[in-house]
Amino acid sequence: MAHVSDLIASDIEQYLKAHEHKSLLRFITCGSVDDGKSTLIGRLLYESKMLFEDQLAAVESDSKKFGTQGEQLDFALLVDGLAAEREQGITIDVAYRFFSTDRRKFIVADTPGHEQYTRNMVTGASTADVAVLMVDARKGVLTQTRRHSYLVSLIGIRHIVVAINKMDLVDYQESVFRKIVEDYRQFAAQIGLESMTFIPMSAFKGDNITEPSDRMPWYHGSTLMAYLETVEIDEQRLQSLPFRLPVQWVNRPNLDFRGFAGTVASGAVKVGDKVRVQPSGKESSVARIVTHDGDLPEAIAGQSVTLTLADEIDISRGDVISTVDEPCGSADQFEVTLVWMHDEPMFPGRPYLLKIGAKTVTATVTEIKHQVNVNTLDHTAAKKLELNAIGVCNLSLDRQIAFDAYKNNPDTGGFILIDRLSNNTVGAGLIHFALRRAHNIHMQHVDVDKAARGSIKGQKPCLLWLTGLSGAGKSTIANIVEKKLHAMGRHTYLLDGDNVRHGLNKDLGFTDADRVENIRRVAEVAKLMVDAGLIAITAFISPFKSERRMARALVQEGEFIEIHVDTPLAVAEERDPKGLYKKARRGELKNFTGIDSPYEPPEEPEIRVSTAKMSPEEAADYIIEVLSERGLLDV
C-alpha cells in the first residue's frame, strides 16, 4: 500500500522508524465547482501508490458507473465518498485523505466549492498549513475563486498554491497561464495575500503533479509534489513565536506533585524560565518539564508536556501559561470575525457557550458591526447572521480569558460558539483585539447588597417571568398578582410588554432580531429590580427559549420563576382582545407569534397555569400559593 521504499523489504523496523519521524503537512484543496480538486487528490494518492488493489478495482468499476472521463479512471471517485456527491458529481462534505512520500507525510482535505457549504470549507481549512487553490484554465479567476481566497486569508493560511488546472484543454498555452497569474495577483493584493506559487497542471493527465511536464517546456518552476515536500510547515513558524501553553489538565496524582499538562501551542520553554499565568497575571518559574519518557530540559511547540512551577499558584484548566517578557492578553470583550455554522440564525443578545482551548465561558454577541459579502468583499449592515454568513462582531464574555490575536497565534486566538441547550457547535470565531473598555470598566463594590435590600422589605427578591401567546392573559394575571402582593405589603414592580414598548423599547419592531433585543433589555432591567430587593414581574410573549434562558442566567439560582400562561392557539385567537390575530391572518401584521413567527413553549416551567381551565383570579391565587410554598414571600 505505501509508497515505494527499499526499506520495506530490507529493514521494516528502520522504515517504520523513518516514517515515524517524518514531518506532517496538512493542506486543503479548494476552488470552484468542477475545477478538479477531487481529481487532483485522487491523482496524488495514485502516484504515491497509497491504494490497495481492491480500491483500484472499485474505482475502475465506479468509473464506469459514475465517472466523467469515459473509459479512463476517474480519480475524483477516490475522494468523493458520499453517495450524493457521486450522483451529483460534486463535493459536499470535507473529505480527508492520508498519503506519504519518502520525505514527508500528508493529510489533505478536499473542501466543497459551493457557497452553501462555506462552513465545511472553513472546517477543513482550520488546521491546514497550505491551500491548493484550483483554477480552471478555461474559465480563469471566478467569483468562487475569490471567495475561497478570502476564506483562506481569513483563516490565516500563509502558503497558497494557485493550481491552474486543465491546461490540456487549452493546448498548454503559456499565454493563458500568464493571464490568470496576472488577474489573480491583482485580486490577491486587495485581501493581503503574499506567499503565492503558481503551477500550471493537468490533474487528469498528470502534468506537473509529480514530474515536470514535457508539454509545457516554458514552465521552469516546481511540480506540485516537490512544492508540498519542501514548503515550510506551520510548526516551524510556531516555534519562533512567544511561549504559550494552554492548560488542558491539572495533574495532581498525590500530595507531593502538582503539574499543569497541555500541548505547547507556540514558542519554547526551559527549566528555570520565568512564566506568567493568564488571566490571573500571577508569575513563577518552571521547576520541571515532565513527560512520560522522563524530564526534559526544554519543550517546544507541538510537544505535550506537564510543567511544574516553583511557587504554589492557583491555575485552572483553560488558563494559559506564557512568557513573562511577551505574555498573552486577558480581557472579556473583543472584536471578532464570526463564521455562522448553524441553520438557526445568530441574533445579538443571545447567550452561547464560548470554547477557546480548554476554557469554556458564556458569551454574547453585543453588536454585528458588519457582514462580509464573501463574493464581493463588500461590508453590509446586518441584524443577524444566517447559515454560512461571516460577520465582524463585538463579543462580551462573563469573565476574562487569556488570548492572542488570531493572526498571531491561531491556537490562542480561535474559538467556537456552542448552543447551550443542544450542545451543537453553531459558530467559529477569530479574535482581532480586546475592546479598550474591557480594561477600563470594572464592577464597583457597594456595601448595601441585594440581601440587605430584600431584608428591609421583608421578602426575598425574585423575578416572576410570565410567558405565553398573545391573548393568553399574561398581563391580566400579572396585574392581579401584583395587586395581591401589594395588599400583602410586598414591594413589587410590573414590567408589561406593551408598556415597555412605549419607552425603553420604542425603537424596536417585531422581527426576530428586535424580539431578541426587546427581551434582552427587559431582562437587564428586571435584574436591576431584583438587585434592588423587589419582586419583579414581567408579562411578555418572549417566544424564544434562548432568551428566557438568558434572563434566568442573569439572576441567582432560585430567583427566576418561569410562569407559562398556557393557552391553546385556538383559544387565544378566539379571544383576540386587540384584534391582532385577525390582522395577522389578513397579512396586515407580519412576524406575529403563533401565525408566521414561532412560539417555543417552556418545557419545565416552575409554574404552569391553564387559562382555558382557570379564571385569571384563580391563576393569580395559584401563583401566590406557589410563591408562598417556596418561601419567597417571607425573609
Side-chain angles (χ1 to χ4, degrees):
M1 170 185 161
H3 58 279
V4 177
S5 173
D6 295 337
L7 285 175
I8 296 178
S10 60
D11 191 341
I12 187 64
E13 289 188 3
Q14 185 64 29
Y15 166 75
L16 292 174
K17 185 176 181 180
H19 191 72
E20 179 183 356
H21 290 90
K22 290 178 189 175
S23 61
L24 173 65
L25 177 75
R26 298 175 182 268
F27 70 97
I28 65 167
T29 59
C30 52
S32 185
V33 178
D34 295 330
D35 276 349
K37 302 182 297 298
S38 299
T39 301
L40 173 62
I41 297 174
R43 168 67 70 174
L44 290 172
L45 295 174
Y46 179 78
E47 295 288 354
S48 59
K49 296 180 173 58
M50 292 296 290
L51 300 172
F52 289 113
E53 291 183 5
D54 60 339
Q55 286 179 301
L56 281 174
V59 170
E60 290 176 0
S61 174
D62 287 345
S63 294
K64 296 175 182 178
K65 296 179 183 178
F66 309 109
T68 60
Q69 306 297 339
E71 295 297 320
Q72 302 185 61
L73 283 180
D74 189 345
F75 292 111
L77 297 179
L78 290 167
V79 183
D80 288 342
L82 299 178
E85 293 180 359
R86 295 191 172 190
E87 291 169 3
Q88 298 178 46
I90 63 171
T91 299
I92 295 175
D93 205 351
V94 180
Y96 293 93
R97 291 294 184 269
F98 171 86
F99 68 97
S100 173
T101 67
D102 283 331
R103 300 187 65 174
R104 184 172 273 178
K105 296 178 288 186
F106 303 91
I107 294 177
V108 55
D110 182 25
T111 59
H114 284 70
E115 183 174 0
Q116 61 264 40
Y117 304 117
T118 295
R119 60 177 171 178
N120 304 59
M121 192 233 161
V122 170
T123 300
S126 61
T127 58
D129 302 305
V130 174
V132 178
L133 183 66
M134 306 293 289
V135 177
D136 190 325
R138 300 168 301 169
K139 302 174 183 177
V141 178
L142 301 176
T143 297
Q144 287 169 307
T145 311
R146 295 185 178 94
R147 182 175 73 250
H148 286 146
S149 298
Y150 170 75
L151 292 172
V152 164
S153 68
L154 178 70
I155 295 299
I157 297 177
R158 299 184 308 111
H159 302 292
I160 298 172
V161 176
V162 182
I164 301 173
N165 192 32
K166 302 188 180 181
M167 289 295 295
D168 55 310
L169 300 182
V170 294
D171 298 326
Y172 301 101
Q173 297 179 58
E174 181 180 4
S175 60
V176 174
F177 172 72
R178 299 298 177 195
K179 178 65 167 61
I180 294 174
V181 169
E182 181 182 351
D183 290 346
Y184 189 84
R185 284 193 184 279
Q186 290 178 359
F187 168 74
Q190 299 176 30
I191 58 176
L193 291 179
E194 296 178 353
S195 178
M196 295 171 289
T197 300
F198 297 89
I199 302 177
M201 65 176 62
S202 170
F204 176 56
K205 298 289 187 179
D207 295 292
N208 285 334
I209 304 299
T210 57
E211 298 291 336
S213 172
D214 295 335
R215 301 182 181 97
M216 290 179 278
W218 45 264
Y219 175 71
H220 305 289
S222 169
T223 63
L224 177 62
M225 183 62 79
Y227 175 89
L228 294 175
E229 286 184 324
T230 56
V231 67
E232 178 190 26
I233 61 176
D234 212 37
E235 282 187 3
Q236 297 167 341
R237 183 182 69 88
L238 289 175
Q239 290 174 13
S240 65
L241 297 177
F243 169 66
R244 302 286 187 265
L245 176 76
V247 177
Q248 298 173 353
W249 179 44
V250 178
N251 186 359
R252 193 73 186 272
N254 54 59
L255 294 176
D256 300 322
F257 185 90
R258 187 165 182 258
F260 308 101
T263 300
V264 180
S266 64
V269 64
K270 298 178 181 178
V271 174
D273 282 354
K274 293 284 186 180
V275 293
R276 178 177 297 173
V277 179
Q278 298 288 58
S280 70
K282 295 181 179 178
E283 297 182 2
S284 184
S285 59
V286 177
R288 294 174 59 191
I289 303 175
V290 183
T291 71
H292 177 73
D293 298 322
D295 286 14
L296 299 175
E298 180 182 15
I300 60 175
Q303 287 186 294
S304 296
V305 297
T306 298
L307 300 185
T308 66
L309 303 183
D311 305 288
E312 287 290 335
I313 295 180
D314 184 17
I315 302 177
S316 302
R317 171 179 165 86
D319 291 350
V320 176
I321 302 175
S322 58
T323 174
V324 169
D325 296 332
E326 297 181 82
C328 60
S330 62
D332 59 4
Q333 296 187 62
F334 306 93
E335 181 187 273
V336 304
T337 292
L338 186 61
V339 181
W340 195 246
M341 309 172 76
H342 198 256
D343 294 326
E344 185 176 339
M346 187 285 294
F347 295 106
R350 280 191 170 172
Y352 300 95
L353 295 178
L354 180 147
K355 184 173 176 61
I356 180 168
K359 189 85 165 182
T360 301
V361 298
T362 298
T364 303
V365 174
T366 57
E367 178 189 3
I368 302 175
K369 303 180 79 168
H370 61 260
Q371 183 173 325
V372 180
N373 184 321
V374 293
N375 294 329
T376 64
L377 304 184
D378 290 339
H379 293 176
T380 58
K383 288 192 173 182
K384 62 181 178 180
L385 293 182
E386 300 276 7
L387 173 64
N388 291 319
I390 299 175
V392 175
C393 309
N394 286 348
L395 194 68
S396 178
L397 313 183
D398 66 341
R399 73 198 79 168
Q400 291 202 344
I401 60 169
F403 78 98
D404 287 294
Y406 182 86
K407 66 178 181 180
N408 296 332
N409 196 324
D411 282 341
T412 51
F415 63 88
I416 60 173
L417 291 183
I418 302 169
D419 183 85
R420 297 171 62 179
L421 188 63
S422 66
N423 210 38
N424 291 328
T425 298
V426 294
L430 323 172
I431 294 176
H432 296 174
F433 51 80
L435 300 178
R436 290 194 57 171
R437 61 179 178 272
H439 301 289
N440 300 332
I441 299 176
H442 306 278
M443 289 296 293
Q444 179 64 42
H445 172 74
V446 293
D447 293 321
V448 180
D449 59 10
K450 176 170 53 180
R453 299 183 189 107
S455 178
I456 201 171
K457 295 177 176 63
Q459 62 191 34
K460 291 183 178 178
C462 62
L463 173 55
L464 311 183
W465 193 279
L466 280 73
T467 175
L469 292 169
S470 177
K474 301 180 298 298
S475 296
T476 302
I477 294 171
N479 188 50
I480 297 173
V481 168
E482 185 176 36
K483 285 171 60 178
K484 290 180 178 291
L485 291 174
H486 183 73
M488 296 168 63
R490 300 296 176 260
H491 297 254
T492 63
Y493 194 89
L494 171 59
L495 290 164
D496 181 76
D498 285 352
N499 293 347
V500 168
R501 283 187 176 272
H502 283 289
L504 177 67
N505 294 346
K506 66 180 180 181
D507 59 320
L508 300 177
F510 290 90
T511 64
D512 285 352
D514 282 351
R515 288 173 181 271
V516 171
E517 176 61 13
N518 181 52
I519 297 305
R520 188 196 68 81
R521 294 183 192 179
V522 169
E524 290 288 354
V525 171
K527 172 191 173 183
L528 294 175
M529 290 182 171
V530 172
D531 192 56
L534 300 175
I535 297 175
I537 308 168
T538 72
F540 290 81
I541 296 174
S542 48
F544 304 124
K545 294 177 184 177
S546 55
E547 277 60 67
R548 299 196 296 268
R549 290 200 305 271
M550 176 271 296
R552 182 186 293 272
L554 290 177
V555 296
Q556 294 180 359
E557 186 174 352
E559 292 181 344
F560 188 87
I561 309 298
E562 188 173 35
I563 303 171
H564 183 198
V565 183
D566 191 359
T567 304
L569 176 61
V571 174
E573 188 168 0
E574 183 180 352
R575 293 173 182 169
D576 202 8
K578 304 172 187 175
L580 300 179
Y581 283 98
K582 291 185 178 66
K583 289 183 179 180
R585 292 296 185 186
R586 293 195 300 264
E588 299 171 5
L589 195 59
K590 300 297 183 182
N591 303 310
F592 190 75
T593 302
I595 304 300
D596 56 357
S597 185
Y599 176 75
E600 300 172 358
E603 295 174 350
E604 296 181 357
E606 280 75 9
I607 301 174
R608 190 190 304 274
V609 293
S610 174
T611 58
K613 301 176 181 178
M614 307 168 69
S615 68
E617 192 79 22
E618 291 171 334
D621 285 338
Y622 178 64
I623 292 170
I624 296 291
E625 180 183 342
V626 174
L627 296 178
S628 181
E629 290 174 354
R630 287 175 170 264
L632 294 172
L633 303 183
D634 298 295
V635 175

